[in-house]
Amino acid sequence: GRKYFSANRIGNYPSNAIKIVNENDIIRFVPTNNGGWKLAQIPDVQGSLVSLNTDTGSVKALVGGFDFNHCKFNRALQGWRQQGSRIKPLVY
């Protein structure tokens, strides 16, 4: 990526891969729509989503993290809620 200096100043794109990764780095690639590859990363922050039907109260969906193969902890069912973050409904 481009080096971040401030909200008004961002550096140039790197000219080659050695400016992004170093020897012995573990890097992650994902395929693009045009048959190429691009760099990706595992997120540092994970969260959960609980989707409810407001008419019946039934659970429509539970999503508990980024990748179950990476971490078996299900944040939607096993996570303790922080004070003030127990519920933040979004109503459309």
Side-chain angles (χ1 to χ4, degrees), residues 1 12 27 30 35 43 48 62 81 87 91:
N12 296 327
I27 55 176
V30 294
S48 66
L62 291 173
R81 306 298 177 252
I87 185 167
V91 180

Side-chain angles (χ1 to χ4, degrees), residues 1-84:
R2 298 167 65 178
K3 186 172 182 178
Y4 177 84
F5 294 104
S6 71
N8 298 321
R9 184 170 170 234
I10 299 174
N12 296 327
Y13 286 103
S15 58
N16 56 39
I18 201 69
K19 293 186 177 187
I20 300 172
V21 296
N22 296 313
E23 187 175 340
N24 297 323
D25 281 353
I26 297 174
I27 55 176
R28 182 181 174 106
F29 289 99
V30 294
T32 61
N33 292 334
N34 63 2
W37 296 91
K38 68 178 182 178
L39 287 172
Q41 65 185 32
I42 296 174
D44 290 331
V45 178
Q46 295 190 37
S48 66
L49 168 83
V50 179
S51 177
L52 302 172
N53 182 330
T54 55
D55 294 328
T56 63
S58 64
V59 176
K60 300 304 254 178
L62 291 173
V63 179
F66 168 69
D67 184 359
F68 186 74
N69 293 320
H70 180 69
C71 178
K72 306 293 189 235
F73 184 73
N74 185 335
R75 285 153 182 80
L77 298 176
Q78 299 169 305
W80 288 90
R81 306 298 177 252
Q82 296 176 357
Q83 292 297 334

